[in-house]
Amino acid sequence: MSALNIAILDMYDNAPNEGMRCILQLIRKVEQETQIRLADQTFNVRAGEPLPGLEFDVYISTGGPGSPLPSPDDWERHYFGLIDRIFEHNRTQRRKKYLFLICHSFQLVSRHMNLGILSKRRSTSFGIFPILKNELGHHEPFFDALPDPFYVVDSRDYQLTQPNWKRIEHLGAKVLCLEKDRPHIPLERAIMAIRFTNEIFGTQFHPEADGDGMLRYFQKEEKRQQVIAGHGEDKYNEMVEHLRDPDKIELTESVILPHFLRQAIRGLIPVETYMERG
């Protein structure tokens, strides 16, 4: 069986999370669907573990807690070194590396590449929200099967706003969607997804979140009380309702990250050996 090697860059800093479970679950689903072996290895980036080199085919860099603002920690320097090597490799080599950046990782790399202003939000964005495609977003293949707006899990204390259009155009990147419009609030709308290159994609939301698993997680009494204490019972009830709706989080989870993995398979596995059954 043909195989791809996937490096999961774990940015959770040993904090409890659902993201890793969701990512691994999606990898297994696409592996079963395509009959292409997807061999994954996890690297605990912020714990100071040695990072991978360019021996992997696909890199998925996760969300995580804490601040994405500049840090003196060595892990950040090593992390950006790897990111820079992936971009440089793709500029000079025929066989590309594929990279997906989720939330915290998206913020870090966008700051590193000077694509906008990264700042702390006035209040935490937490819940399930509609995301609006812009003109380029309507032509983005990863979004083809999603309505406008589509719904995402959003959980962040920081935000990327005020796109640096000169830098974005120089890199050939594309801003694809923004957070929901709030006409009564005079604040910049955060950039929610960027296609950095043909092989590199990032979102400021969590496309890996699964409706059923997240619903079970938030229905645990301890987590339920935690959400209500922090965000109110109305927010909790709204979130549970959205998680039960198959046209919201379940749909987004089934489209974006699986589409990225299929794109990598099509780009890296000879077409005569690639037998997609989906």
Side-chain angles (χ1 to χ4, degrees):
M1 180 187 291
S2 298
L4 292 183
N5 294 313
I6 301 176
I8 301 174
L9 305 177
D10 177 359
M11 305 293 282
Y12 283 102
D13 200 21
N14 297 316
N17 69 88
E18 288 289 291
M20 290 296 296
R21 175 188 63 79
C22 293
I23 291 168
L24 291 169
Q25 178 176 271
L26 283 172
I27 290 172
R28 298 284 78 81
K29 283 181 179 178
V30 173
E31 181 179 59
Q32 182 177 24
E33 167 199 314
T34 61
Q35 293 298 291
I36 299 295
R37 182 167 177 264
L38 302 177
D40 59 88
Q41 184 174 346
T42 299
F43 298 84
N44 194 339
V45 176
R46 294 165 72 181
E49 286 187 4
L51 295 187
L54 296 178
E55 65 271 24
F56 288 83
D57 302 299
V58 178
Y59 299 76
I60 299 175
S61 195
T62 76
S67 170
L69 297 176
S71 162
D73 294 338
D74 279 346
W75 72 260
E76 185 173 294
R77 177 170 53 84
H78 294 311
Y79 176 74
F80 287 142
L82 172 61
I83 298 300
D84 289 342
R85 288 194 295 276
I86 291 172
F87 273 88
E88 180 60 26
H89 172 94
N90 285 354
R91 280 191 289 267
T92 59
Q93 303 299 317
R94 177 174 295 179
R95 183 178 172 87
K96 308 299 185 183
K97 305 294 180 182
Y98 289 78
L99 170 64
F100 199 105
L101 302 161
I102 298 173
C103 197
H104 190 89
S105 297
F106 171 87
Q107 293 168 343
L108 284 168
V109 173
S110 295
R111 165 171 65 83
H112 178 62
M113 303 188 76
N114 190 27
L115 299 187
I117 301 299
L118 186 62
S119 62
K120 192 168 178 29
R121 291 175 56 88
R122 289 187 181 180
S123 61
T124 299
S125 178
F126 178 80
I128 296 169
F129 300 107
I131 297 296
L132 294 167
K133 305 175 191 179
N134 61 15
E135 183 177 352
L136 292 175
H138 281 283
H139 299 283
E140 170 52 53
F142 286 9
F143 295 165
D144 277 351
L146 295 174
D148 188 26
F150 61 96
Y151 283 78
V152 304
V153 170
D154 197 21
S155 177
R156 57 192 167 86
D157 292 313
Y158 294 82
Q159 61 183 357
L160 180 71
T161 60
Q162 301 179 46
N164 181 347
W165 292 115
K166 184 175 181 181
R167 177 69 173 155
I168 289 168
E169 290 169 8
H170 174 74
L171 293 172
K174 299 175 182 177
V175 173
L176 302 173
C177 54
L178 303 173
E179 68 180 332
K180 66 177 181 178
D181 191 12
R182 297 170 293 175
H184 58 290
I185 301 177
L187 295 175
E188 286 266 354
R189 294 164 66 194
I191 301 167
M192 298 306 289
I194 294 176
R195 176 167 287 285
F196 294 81
T197 69
N198 287 338
E199 299 80 23
I200 300 174
F201 196 92
T203 65
Q204 197 165 204
F205 55 85
H206 287 271
E208 79 280 19
D210 67 320
D212 288 343
M214 296 290 287
L215 181 60
R216 289 192 298 271
Y217 177 68
F218 283 112
Q219 285 183 320
K220 293 178 180 179
E221 186 59 26
E222 179 183 359
K223 194 62 184 176
R224 177 178 176 276
Q225 293 300 333
Q226 183 182 341
V227 173
I228 290 173
H231 304 279
E233 190 165 6
D234 287 346
K235 170 65 74 174
Y236 175 81
N237 291 334
E238 177 188 64
M239 188 166 62
V240 167
E241 180 183 346
H242 287 336
L243 287 171
R244 286 177 170 148
D245 186 341
D247 293 327
K248 290 189 168 62
I249 297 310
E250 186 177 328
L251 177 60
T252 301
E253 178 236 354
S254 73
V255 170
I256 297 177
L257 200 51
H259 199 140
F260 165 78
L261 291 170
R262 293 187 202 106
Q263 181 201 29
I265 290 170
R266 287 193 295 268
L268 296 172
I269 301 294
V271 66
E272 61 269 19
T273 68
Y274 174 54
M275 299 293 294
E276 183 173 26
R277 301 189 310 175

